[in-house]
Amino acid sequence: MPRLKTFQAHLGFFDTVVAARSQKAALQAWGSRQNLFRDGTAKPASDPDAIALALAKPGVVLKRLAGSKDAFSEQPPPPKPTRSHRAKPVARKPPDRSKLEAAEHALAQLKQERQTMRGDFERREKSLRAEQRKREQDVESRQNELEHEIASQRKRFRKAVKTRS
């Protein structure tokens, strides 16, 4: 039987150890596609207790929570919540809606202002269209009078030219 070596690596939340024939076999046990030995994530194991546990279960990845002094095992216990993670009873009061309500009120006012503004513009446009029609009629009437005057003056002029000749 080939001689086993033990390797350790820090992976995620865990420190791990595995007994394998080679670095390649250790990488396979950890399920890694990259060479963890190259970047220093993995290295030969140095803890005598970890080495003994790994050699007792060749090819099995043993874990413990990163940084702990617990023994390595196949299923390490979950981390214990620290004081800062424990739920603290909090006296809850209803959230303050005043800023939300103020913003909603401001939006409603703005929409009303827009409606008023549009109504004002529509009335002004209607008034301007009526004024334009009136002025167009006045210009048309004056133009007709001037065209009639020109026609009349042209007739007189031709008559006067004929009588002189």
Side-chain angles (χ1 to χ4, degrees), residues 76-145:
K80 297 174 185 171
T82 61
R83 283 185 166 211
S84 63
H85 292 113
R86 289 188 188 143
K88 297 176 186 172
V90 177
R92 298 193 183 234
K93 61 180 183 178
D96 182 13
R97 288 186 47 87
S98 62
K99 289 183 180 178
L100 172 62
E101 290 171 353
E104 288 173 338
H105 180 71
L107 179 60
Q109 281 184 319
L110 182 64
K111 287 180 177 180
Q112 181 60 43
E113 286 177 27
R114 175 183 272 166
Q115 280 186 316
T116 301
M117 175 189 68
R118 284 180 176 165
D120 289 346
F121 278 120
E122 286 174 12
R123 282 187 289 284
R124 288 169 59 191
E125 283 177 329
K126 187 176 179 181
S127 173
L128 284 171
R129 282 193 297 274
E131 181 181 343
Q132 181 183 14
R133 278 192 303 274
K134 170 86 171 81
R135 287 189 180 187
E136 289 283 344
Q137 287 172 350
D138 290 347
V139 168
E140 182 124 358
S141 175
R142 182 73 178 126
Q143 182 178 340
N144 286 341
E145 288 173 7

